[in-house]
Amino acid sequence: GENVEQHPSTLSVQEGDSAVIKCTYSDSASNYFPWYKQELGKRPQLIIDIRSNVGEKKDQRIAVTLNKTAKHFSLHITETQPEDSAVYFCAASNPNAGNMLTFGGGTRLMVKP
Amino acid sequence: ETGVTQTPRHLVMGMTNKKSLKCEQHLGHNAMYWYKQSAKKPLELMFVYNFKEQTENNSVPSRFSPECPNSSHLFLHLHTLQPEDSALYLCASSQGRTTRSYEQYFGPGTRLTVT
Protein backbone atom coordinates (compact mmCIF):
# COMPACT_ATOMS: atom_id res chain seq x y z
CA GLY A 1 0.00 0.00 0.00
CA GLU A 2 0.86 3.67 -0.07
CA ASN A 3 3.35 5.10 2.42
CA VAL A 4 3.67 8.83 3.02
CA GLU A 5 6.60 10.36 4.89
CA GLN A 6 6.45 13.95 6.12
CA HIS A 7 9.27 16.24 7.30
CA PRO A 8 9.99 18.02 9.51
CA SER A 9 7.83 16.88 12.42
CA THR A 10 8.15 20.31 14.04
CA LEU A 11 8.99 23.67 12.49
CA SER A 12 9.44 26.99 14.22
CA VAL A 13 9.67 30.20 12.19
CA GLN A 14 9.58 33.92 12.87
CA GLU A 15 6.52 35.81 11.79
CA GLY A 16 6.96 36.99 8.22
CA ASP A 17 9.35 34.20 7.27
CA SER A 18 8.51 31.37 4.90
CA ALA A 19 7.80 27.79 5.93
CA VAL A 20 8.27 24.67 3.82
CA ILE A 21 6.97 21.20 4.64
CA LYS A 22 7.95 18.23 2.50
CA CYS A 23 6.32 14.87 1.84
CA THR A 24 7.31 11.81 -0.12
CA TYR A 25 5.04 9.01 -1.28
CA SER A 26 5.74 5.49 -2.42
CA ASP A 27 3.02 4.54 -4.93
CA SER A 28 3.59 6.06 -8.37
CA ALA A 29 -0.11 5.51 -9.15
CA SER A 30 -1.16 8.11 -6.56
CA ASN A 31 -2.60 11.14 -8.30
CA TYR A 32 -4.17 13.41 -5.68
CA PHE A 33 -2.27 15.20 -2.92
CA PRO A 34 -4.16 17.33 -0.37
CA TRP A 35 -2.87 19.29 2.58
CA TYR A 36 -4.90 19.60 5.77
CA LYS A 37 -4.48 22.09 8.58
CA GLN A 38 -5.49 21.20 12.13
CA GLU A 39 -5.54 24.00 14.67
CA LEU A 40 -5.33 23.11 18.33
CA GLY A 41 -8.53 21.46 19.49
CA LYS A 42 -10.14 21.65 16.06
CA ARG A 43 -10.81 19.29 13.20
CA PRO A 44 -8.47 18.89 10.19
CA GLN A 45 -9.53 21.08 7.26
CA LEU A 46 -8.40 21.04 3.65
CA ILE A 47 -6.33 24.10 2.74
CA ILE A 48 -4.99 23.23 -0.69
CA ASP A 49 -4.67 20.22 -2.97
CA ILE A 50 -2.96 19.29 -6.21
CA ARG A 51 -3.55 16.65 -8.82
CA SER A 52 -0.82 14.85 -10.69
CA ASN A 53 -1.46 16.63 -13.97
CA VAL A 54 -0.05 19.93 -12.60
CA GLY A 55 3.27 20.80 -11.01
CA GLU A 56 2.32 23.77 -8.86
CA LYS A 57 -0.75 25.42 -7.42
CA LYS A 58 -1.04 28.66 -5.48
CA ASP A 59 -3.68 30.18 -3.27
CA GLN A 60 -2.68 33.52 -1.81
CA ARG A 61 0.13 32.84 0.69
CA ILE A 62 0.15 29.07 0.29
CA ALA A 63 1.44 26.99 -2.59
CA VAL A 64 2.01 23.34 -3.26
CA THR A 65 4.55 21.85 -5.66
CA LEU A 66 4.62 18.30 -6.99
CA ASN A 67 7.49 16.34 -8.48
CA LYS A 68 6.00 13.14 -9.86
CA THR A 69 9.33 11.73 -10.97
CA ALA A 70 10.83 12.03 -7.52
CA LYS A 71 7.49 11.25 -5.83
CA HIS A 72 7.57 14.21 -3.51
CA PHE A 73 5.42 17.25 -2.92
CA SER A 74 5.81 20.29 -0.71
CA LEU A 75 3.73 22.95 1.02
CA HIS A 76 5.06 26.49 0.98
CA ILE A 77 3.67 29.21 3.25
CA THR A 78 4.99 32.72 2.69
CA GLU A 79 4.77 35.71 5.02
CA THR A 80 3.77 33.49 7.91
CA GLN A 81 1.43 34.81 10.56
CA PRO A 82 0.74 33.59 14.11
CA GLU A 83 -2.61 32.19 12.95
CA ASP A 84 -0.70 29.82 10.65
CA SER A 85 0.42 27.97 13.78
CA ALA A 86 -1.13 24.50 13.57
CA VAL A 87 -0.40 20.90 12.64
CA TYR A 88 -0.25 20.33 8.90
CA PHE A 89 -0.87 16.94 7.30
CA CYS A 90 -0.06 15.91 3.76
CA ALA A 91 -1.81 12.97 2.12
CA ALA A 92 -1.81 10.93 -1.06
CA SER A 93 -4.63 9.14 -2.82
CA ASN A 94 -4.41 6.24 -5.23
CA PRO A 95 -7.32 5.91 -7.67
CA ASN A 96 -7.05 2.14 -7.36
CA ALA A 97 -7.86 2.46 -3.66
CA GLY A 98 -11.12 4.37 -4.01
CA ASN A 99 -11.10 7.70 -2.21
CA MET A 100 -8.85 6.62 0.61
CA LEU A 101 -6.20 9.04 1.77
CA THR A 102 -2.90 7.95 3.27
CA PHE A 103 -1.70 10.69 5.62
CA GLY A 104 1.81 11.74 6.57
CA GLY A 105 2.82 11.98 10.20
CA GLY A 106 2.09 15.69 10.50
CA THR A 107 4.20 18.82 11.03
CA ARG A 108 3.66 21.11 13.98
CA LEU A 109 4.29 24.65 12.74
CA MET A 110 4.88 27.38 15.29
CA VAL A 111 5.02 30.97 14.09
CA LYS A 112 6.62 33.25 16.66
CA PRO A 113 5.42 36.84 16.71
CA GLU B 1 -20.95 23.84 11.92
CA THR B 2 -23.37 21.21 10.71
CA GLY B 3 -21.41 19.38 7.96
CA VAL B 4 -20.16 16.41 9.98
CA THR B 5 -21.19 16.01 13.59
CA GLN B 6 -20.00 13.56 16.22
CA THR B 7 -21.41 12.57 19.60
CA PRO B 8 -20.39 12.42 22.31
CA ARG B 9 -17.55 14.92 22.20
CA HIS B 10 -15.93 13.42 25.29
CA LEU B 11 -16.23 9.91 26.70
CA VAL B 12 -14.65 8.23 29.69
CA MET B 13 -15.19 4.49 29.95
CA GLY B 14 -13.87 1.58 31.91
CA MET B 15 -12.27 -1.42 30.25
CA THR B 16 -15.36 -3.57 30.77
CA ASN B 17 -17.86 -1.02 29.45
CA LYS B 18 -19.66 -1.03 26.11
CA LYS B 19 -20.23 2.30 24.42
CA SER B 20 -20.87 3.67 20.94
CA LEU B 21 -19.63 6.69 19.04
CA LYS B 22 -21.94 8.31 16.53
CA CYS B 23 -21.18 10.28 13.39
CA GLU B 24 -23.65 12.01 11.12
CA GLN B 25 -22.98 13.88 7.89
CA HIS B 26 -25.34 16.38 6.29
CA LEU B 27 -23.40 16.80 3.05
CA GLY B 28 -25.03 14.16 0.87
CA HIS B 29 -21.81 12.16 0.77
CA ASN B 30 -21.57 8.44 0.13
CA ALA B 31 -18.27 7.55 1.79
CA MET B 32 -17.56 7.69 5.52
CA TYR B 33 -14.42 7.01 7.51
CA TRP B 34 -13.21 6.42 11.05
CA TYR B 35 -9.75 7.67 12.03
CA LYS B 36 -7.84 7.36 15.29
CA GLN B 37 -5.66 10.30 16.25
CA SER B 38 -3.03 9.89 18.96
CA ALA B 39 0.43 11.16 19.73
CA LYS B 40 1.94 7.96 18.30
CA LYS B 41 0.02 7.95 14.99
CA PRO B 42 -1.45 11.34 14.18
CA LEU B 43 -4.05 10.22 11.60
CA GLU B 44 -4.57 6.48 11.45
CA LEU B 45 -7.32 5.18 9.17
CA MET B 46 -9.51 2.53 10.81
CA PHE B 47 -12.52 1.85 8.60
CA VAL B 48 -13.97 2.99 5.29
CA TYR B 49 -17.55 2.69 4.09
CA ASN B 50 -18.67 3.40 0.53
CA PHE B 51 -22.40 3.39 -0.12
CA LYS B 52 -22.94 1.66 3.25
CA GLU B 53 -20.52 -1.16 2.44
CA GLN B 54 -17.30 -1.59 4.37
CA THR B 55 -14.45 -1.39 1.91
CA GLU B 56 -11.51 -1.15 4.28
CA ASN B 57 -10.64 -2.53 7.68
CA ASN B 58 -7.15 -1.39 8.46
CA SER B 59 -6.21 -4.30 10.75
CA VAL B 60 -8.30 -2.90 13.56
CA PRO B 61 -8.84 -5.09 16.65
CA SER B 62 -12.27 -6.65 16.96
CA ARG B 63 -13.01 -4.65 20.12
CA PHE B 64 -13.85 -1.86 17.63
CA SER B 65 -16.94 -2.66 15.60
CA PRO B 66 -18.23 -0.22 12.95
CA GLU B 67 -21.78 0.05 11.71
CA CYS B 68 -23.11 2.06 8.78
CA PRO B 69 -26.90 1.79 8.57
CA ASN B 70 -27.13 4.41 5.80
CA SER B 71 -24.90 6.85 3.96
CA SER B 72 -25.50 9.59 6.52
CA HIS B 73 -24.75 7.73 9.72
CA LEU B 74 -21.72 5.88 11.00
CA PHE B 75 -21.22 4.26 14.38
CA LEU B 76 -18.23 2.84 16.18
CA HIS B 77 -19.16 0.31 18.85
CA LEU B 78 -16.60 -0.12 21.60
CA HIS B 79 -16.22 -3.00 24.04
CA THR B 80 -13.50 -4.25 26.38
CA LEU B 81 -11.13 -1.48 25.35
CA GLN B 82 -7.58 -1.03 26.63
CA PRO B 83 -6.00 2.13 28.06
CA GLU B 84 -3.90 2.45 24.88
CA ASP B 85 -7.14 2.94 22.95
CA SER B 86 -7.47 6.37 24.55
CA ALA B 87 -7.32 8.84 21.67
CA LEU B 88 -9.31 11.28 19.58
CA TYR B 89 -11.62 9.42 17.19
CA LEU B 90 -12.39 11.39 14.06
CA CYS B 91 -15.13 10.70 11.58
CA ALA B 92 -14.92 11.99 8.01
CA SER B 93 -17.00 11.86 4.86
CA SER B 94 -16.43 12.39 1.16
CA GLN B 95 -18.52 12.24 -1.97
CA GLY B 96 -17.61 8.64 -2.69
CA ARG B 97 -15.37 6.49 -4.82
CA THR B 98 -17.44 6.90 -7.96
CA THR B 99 -16.63 10.59 -8.17
CA ARG B 100 -13.41 12.50 -8.72
CA SER B 101 -13.92 14.48 -5.54
CA TYR B 102 -11.55 13.20 -2.90
CA GLU B 103 -11.87 15.95 -0.29
CA GLN B 104 -12.68 14.56 3.12
CA TYR B 105 -14.66 16.60 5.61
CA PHE B 106 -13.89 15.83 9.22
CA GLY B 107 -16.09 15.91 12.27
CA PRO B 108 -14.95 17.53 15.54
CA GLY B 109 -13.95 14.18 17.02
CA THR B 110 -14.72 12.25 20.20
CA ARG B 111 -12.05 12.41 22.89
CA LEU B 112 -12.04 8.91 24.41
CA THR B 113 -10.37 8.06 27.68
CA VAL B 114 -10.23 4.43 28.79
CA THR B 115 -9.60 3.94 32.50
Side-chain angles (χ1 to χ4, degrees):
Chain A
E2 176 65 274
N3 182 48
V4 178
E5 301 279 345
Q6 183 171 347
H7 300 280
S9 56
T10 60
L11 178 60
S12 181
V13 300
Q14 207 66 38
E15 182 178 359
D17 288 350
S18 294
V20 180
I21 302 170
K22 299 181 179 181
C23 289
T24 60
Y25 61 100
S26 60
D27 192 336
S28 56
S30 290
N31 65 354
Y32 173 70
F33 307 92
W35 287 87
Y36 284 77
K37 175 184 180 182
Q38 187 175 24
E39 296 178 52
L40 189 63
K42 297 193 175 180
R43 70 192 77 191
Q45 290 192 293
L46 180 73
I47 55 170
I48 195 168
D49 56 13
I50 191 168
R51 296 188 185 273
S52 58
N53 57 346
V54 298
E56 183 175 0
K57 185 177 178 180
K58 287 188 73 173
D59 183 2
Q60 299 182 347
R61 294 187 298 108
I62 59 173
V64 58
T65 58
L66 171 66
N67 183 327
K68 282 185 62 179
T69 303
K71 289 189 283 187
H72 67 70
F73 57 111
S74 301
L75 178 71
H76 305 254
I77 306 174
T78 58
E79 300 171 29
T80 53
Q81 301 168 3
E83 51 265 37
D84 295 328
S85 297
V87 178
Y88 291 81
F89 293 96
C90 64
S93 179
N94 182 333
N96 299 324
N99 284 351
M100 279 174 43
L101 296 177
T102 301
F103 284 89
T107 296
R108 182 172 301 279
L109 174 65
M110 293 168 284
V111 180
K112 295 179 284 187
Chain B
E1 295 179 85
T2 57
V4 182
T5 58
Q6 288 186 243
T7 54
R9 296 293 306 276
H10 301 271
L11 177 62
V12 179
M13 58 186 289
M15 289 190 284
T16 58
N17 291 160
K18 286 185 181 181
K19 296 286 185 183
S20 295
L21 309 185
K22 179 183 177 182
C23 175
E24 185 173 359
Q25 58 93 4
H26 310 270
L27 300 168
H29 289 165
N30 293 304
M32 296 187 78
Y33 312 79
W34 279 117
Y35 288 90
K36 177 182 178 183
Q37 189 170 48
S38 63
K40 282 188 178 180
K41 292 190 178 182
L43 267 176
E44 183 181 8
L45 180 67
M46 300 175 73
F47 300 104
V48 181
Y49 278 82
N50 268 290
F51 295 91
K52 301 186 297 179
E53 291 191 13
Q54 185 176 313
T55 56
E56 185 76 14
N57 175 339
N58 209 22
S59 303
V60 180
S62 59
R63 58 185 183 270
F64 295 91
S65 175
E67 179 190 0
C68 188
N70 54 62
S71 294
S72 299
H73 294 85
L74 184 65
F75 295 88
L76 188 62
H77 304 298
L78 316 171
H79 64 98
T80 59
L81 294 192
Q82 305 297 311
E84 59 264 29
D85 296 322
S86 298
L88 180 69
Y89 288 84
L90 288 162
C91 172
S93 71
S94 67
Q95 284 192 9
R97 66 189 306 164
T98 59
T99 76
R100 290 194 69 242
S101 177
Y102 298 85
E103 180 177 357
Q104 292 187 13
Y105 294 78
F106 285 85
T110 295
R111 174 68 61 186
L112 174 67
T113 303
V114 181
T115 60

